[in-house]
């Protein structure tokens, strides 16, 4: 009957373990998908100053790699932690109940062991950050190069770029090697101490068994508890090392997740009508990334129901003025006003949906031509409206000549249509 009970307990623990594993996996994946989506949404709402300070490849690495760390932490580490704590505390109790003296001897080295783990944790914590940073940099470089293939090939820079990428990865590799070395060292030191402890326990235990002060059965049981204790301790140590490595990355991910843009959506007026009187009043502006370089100095003009062309030398600040009109930035001094209302008092979405912007280097998405035309107003735009807009921009004729007309996809970055066609 005891055999049956033991068998049943094993079966139950087997099934529970699988069940817990599935639950942890599902919970972690669901949570991380939500976090990634939230992160992406938050990234999309940041101000332009933020994007100037971060390379897009670096951000995508944060989005995918750093959150991957978070996931493995949620899925595996938390599960291991639960097991390790139960094992550690349970076996500690069992040891002290079976034989307090031996238990004291067995746990004597643990504080020292823990100190070693703490030191190693600090080291891997530092290198974990460097690892993530170098990986993000390598990713940033790759994305940049792959996005500018024409320039790279036209300048026969393929090998140079490959070498640049290799250098980035090598840097990453060196950091990994250092991390692995410290961790190996820790494991050796820790195992050495544990072995020493095992010998001491064996000597004292056997001595007592021979002297008849301790039954062989209790000693065997004690040793079983001790090995459980050791397992629990090393899992805890491992978790600590992993944790120190990931904690800072996780922290940075969360920081990015909670970052508030300096130009925020969702506040301000939404006037019912828009006449279109634009006033630029004594505006001075410097980019956030170059505070000392005043690009616009005391610029003023009024545009009311008329066409205004801004002329100036290259680098004079024409594009910058356009960016202020979209309120990608706020001026340091002065104000922009629409129908007499300061931009800063207007709802950002409302303001931007009143303005059409054609960039110096326009971007088309890999959607159909009609979806691209209606990108600024995706809901409730009729086919007729889209066609009318295309005709007004003298784009209708060449669109009709494309294979699928308005349903044609210009391809990523619009490679299948000309630069001039794109601007239209
Ligand atoms: N993102 C930026 N961060 C910092 N400085 C910038 C940034 N963009 C432009 N500048 C600086 O602002 C100045 C004005 O640039 P801007 O792009 O507005 O010139 P532009 O008049 O449009 O020139 P072009 O006729 O060549 O298009 C330049 O001196 C440039 O160095
Ligand atoms: Mg320009």
């Amino acid at each position: 009957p005891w055999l049956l009970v033991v068998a049943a307990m094993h079966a139950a623990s087997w099934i529970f373990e699988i069940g817990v594993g599935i639950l942890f996996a599902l919970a972690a994946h669901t949570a991380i998908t939500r976090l990634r989506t939230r992160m992406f949404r938050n990234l999309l709402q940041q101000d332009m100053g933020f994007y100037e300070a971060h390379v897009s490849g670096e951000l995508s690495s944060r989005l995918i790699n750093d959150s991957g760390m978070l996931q493995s932490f949620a899925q595996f580490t938390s599960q291991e932690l639960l097991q390790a704590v139960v094992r550690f505390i349970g076996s500690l109790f069992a040891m002290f109940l079976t034989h307090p003296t031996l238990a004291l001897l067995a746990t004597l080295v643990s504080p020292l062991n823990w100190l070693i783990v703490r030191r190693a944790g600090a080291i891997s914590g530092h290198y974990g950050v460097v690892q993530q940073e170098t990986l993000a940099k390598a990713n940033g470089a790759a994305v940049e190069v792959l996005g500018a293939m024409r320039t790279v090939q036209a300048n026969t820079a393929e090998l140079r770029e490959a070498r640049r990428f290799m250098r980035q990865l090598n840097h990453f590799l060196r950091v990994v090697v250092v991390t692995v070395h410290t961790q190996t060292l820790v494991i050796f030191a820790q195992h050495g101490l544990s072995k020493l402890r095992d010998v001491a326990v064996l000597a004292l235990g056997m001595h007592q068994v021979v002297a008849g002060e301790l039954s062989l059965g209790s000693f065997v049981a004690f040793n079983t508890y001790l090995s459980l204790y050791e397992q629990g301790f090393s899992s805890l140590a491992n978790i600590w090392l992993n944790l120190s490595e990931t904690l800072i990355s996780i922290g940075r991910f969360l920081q990015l997740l909670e970052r508030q843009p300096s130009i925020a959506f969702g506040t301000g007026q939404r006037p019912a009508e828009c006449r279109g009187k634009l006033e630029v009043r004594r505006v001075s502006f410097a980019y956030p990334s170059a505070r000392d370089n005043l690009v616009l100095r005391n610029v003023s003009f009024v545009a009311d129901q008329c066409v205004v062309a801004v002329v100036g030398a290259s680098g004079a600040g024409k594009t910058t003025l356009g960016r202020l009109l979209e309120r990608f930035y706020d001026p340091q001094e002065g104000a922009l006003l629409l129908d007499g209302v300061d931009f800063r008092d207007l709802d950002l979405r409302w303001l931007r949906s009143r303005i059409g912007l054609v960039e110096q280097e326009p971007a088309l998405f890999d959607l159909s031509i009609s979806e691209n035309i209606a990108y600024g107003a995706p809901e409730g735009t009729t086919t007729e409206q889209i066609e009318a807009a295309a005709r007004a921009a003298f784009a209708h004729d060449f669109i009709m000549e494309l294979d699928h007309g308005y349903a044609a996809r210009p391809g990523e970055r619009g490679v299948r249509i000309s630069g001039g066609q794109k601007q239209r």
Side-chain angles (χ1 to χ4, degrees):
W2 281 112
L3 211 59
L4 268 180
V5 171
V6 171
M9 275 167 69
H10 268 288
S13 110
W14 175 56
I15 289 171
F16 272 122
E17 250 171 58
I18 294 175
V20 167
I22 292 173
L23 281 183
F24 266 98
L26 284 183
H29 277 281
T30 317
I32 223 65
T33 304
R34 288 212 188 125
L35 273 182
R36 277 195 180 130
T37 317
R38 250 188 73 187
M39 171 81 148
F40 191 55
R41 197 165 16 178
N42 196 41
L43 281 180
L44 290 180
Q45 302 199 347
Q46 295 304 315
D47 47 281
M48 288 299 146
F50 170 80
Y51 291 109
E52 275 160 23
H54 296 84
V55 183
S56 61
E58 236 176 288
L59 290 177
S60 72
S61 171
R62 292 235 172 280
L63 189 65
I64 304 299
N65 293 341
D66 286 13
S67 61
M69 276 192 164
L70 201 64
Q71 171 185 335
S72 76
F73 173 69
Q75 184 177 346
F76 300 111
T77 314
S78 55
Q79 198 180 343
E80 272 173 29
L81 185 67
L82 201 67
Q83 273 181 3
V85 168
V86 170
R87 224 174 242 168
F88 183 79
I89 294 178
S91 53
L92 200 61
F93 265 106
M95 282 199 299
F96 273 98
L97 285 182
T98 329
H99 199 305
T101 329
L102 270 183
L104 204 61
L105 182 67
T107 48
L108 218 53
V109 291
S110 295
L112 192 59
N113 254 340
W114 189 247
L115 272 182
I116 298 177
V117 173
R118 282 282 300 270
R119 269 281 347 113
I123 296 172
S124 16
H126 170 71
Y127 282 109
V129 175
V130 183
Q131 258 184 41
Q132 283 304 301
E133 262 170 18
T134 47
L135 202 60
K137 284 234 167 65
N139 191 50
V143 168
E144 189 186 13
V145 170
L146 291 176
M149 271 327 287
R150 273 182 240 279
T151 314
V152 172
Q153 294 199 350
N155 291 291
T156 59
E158 303 88 352
L159 286 180
R160 214 171 343 131
E161 289 301 349
R163 251 179 267 132
R164 189 156 74 104
F165 186 62
M166 189 181 73
R167 268 202 302 278
Q168 305 257 16
L169 281 190
N170 277 345
H171 189 54
F172 173 68
L173 200 60
R174 273 200 296 280
V175 176
V176 172
V177 168
V178 175
T179 319
V180 170
H181 279 180
T182 43
Q183 289 189 350
T184 315
L185 217 63
V186 171
I187 291 170
F188 263 110
Q190 208 185 300
H191 276 204
L193 278 176
S194 302
K195 289 283 170 238
L196 236 80
R197 185 258 328 268
D198 286 352
V199 172
V201 169
L202 194 66
L204 183 65
M206 285 317 279
H207 178 77
Q208 292 199 340
V209 169
V210 170
E213 290 163 22
L214 178 66
S215 78
L216 195 58
S218 310
F219 186 51
V220 170
F222 183 86
N223 269 312
T224 314
Y225 301 144
L226 181 58
S227 87
L228 274 179
Y229 174 79
E230 187 53 32
Q231 279 171 26
F233 185 89
S234 19
S235 313
L236 284 178
N238 259 331
I239 291 169
W240 180 265
L241 287 182
N242 280 336
L243 202 64
S244 334
E245 214 175 298
T246 50
L247 214 54
I248 299 178
S249 289
I250 292 173
R252 227 181 289 181
F253 179 87
L254 295 180
Q255 223 175 20
L256 216 50
L257 190 73
E258 294 299 325
R259 187 182 193 278
Q260 296 295 323
S262 67
I263 297 178
F265 289 92
T267 52
Q269 297 166 236
R270 306 175 61 92
E273 268 180 57
C274 177
R275 211 176 89 88
K277 180 186 171 201
L278 179 72
E279 188 181 349
V280 174
R281 197 184 279 169
R282 290 193 292 281
V283 162
S284 295
F285 174 73
Y287 280 96
S289 53
R291 290 262 177 228
D292 302 330
N293 178 25
L294 216 54
V295 177
L296 299 177
R297 200 166 298 147
N298 208 7
V299 176
S300 298
F301 67 87
V302 180
D304 192 6
Q305 314 278 311
C306 61
V307 175
V308 175
V310 181
V311 186
S314 188
K318 305 178 294 295
T319 300
T320 305
L321 189 61
R323 289 177 183 154
L324 290 182
L325 293 181
E326 280 277 353
R327 206 181 162 208
F328 286 146
Y329 311 90
D330 281 328
Q332 272 84 28
E333 274 171 50
L336 290 94
L337 302 99
L338 182 61
D339 294 340
V341 184
D342 193 318
F343 273 24
R344 282 166 285 212
D345 298 328
L346 290 169
D347 180 273
L348 196 58
R349 283 212 171 83
W350 181 87
L351 174 70
R352 286 183 182 165
S353 64
R354 302 300 110 174
I355 302 172
L357 172 74
V358 179
E359 291 249 37
Q360 212 157 343
E361 295 152 39
L364 291 188
F365 294 94
D366 195 16
L367 303 167
S368 68
I369 298 269
S370 50
E371 282 169 303
N372 266 299
I373 292 176
Y375 193 74
E379 276 131 45
T381 315
T382 62
T383 321
E384 288 77 37
Q385 284 174 316
I386 291 173
E387 265 196 48
R391 275 182 212 280
F394 300 105
H396 180 73
D397 291 341
F398 81 75
I399 292 174
M400 291 314 285
E401 276 171 26
L402 293 173
D403 267 352
H404 301 282
Y406 279 90
R409 294 155 80 95
E412 199 185 17
R413 293 164 172 275
V415 286
R416 266 177 258 145
I417 62 173
S418 81
Q421 287 175 334
K422 226 192 289 180
Q423 286 181 336
R424 280 192 253 167

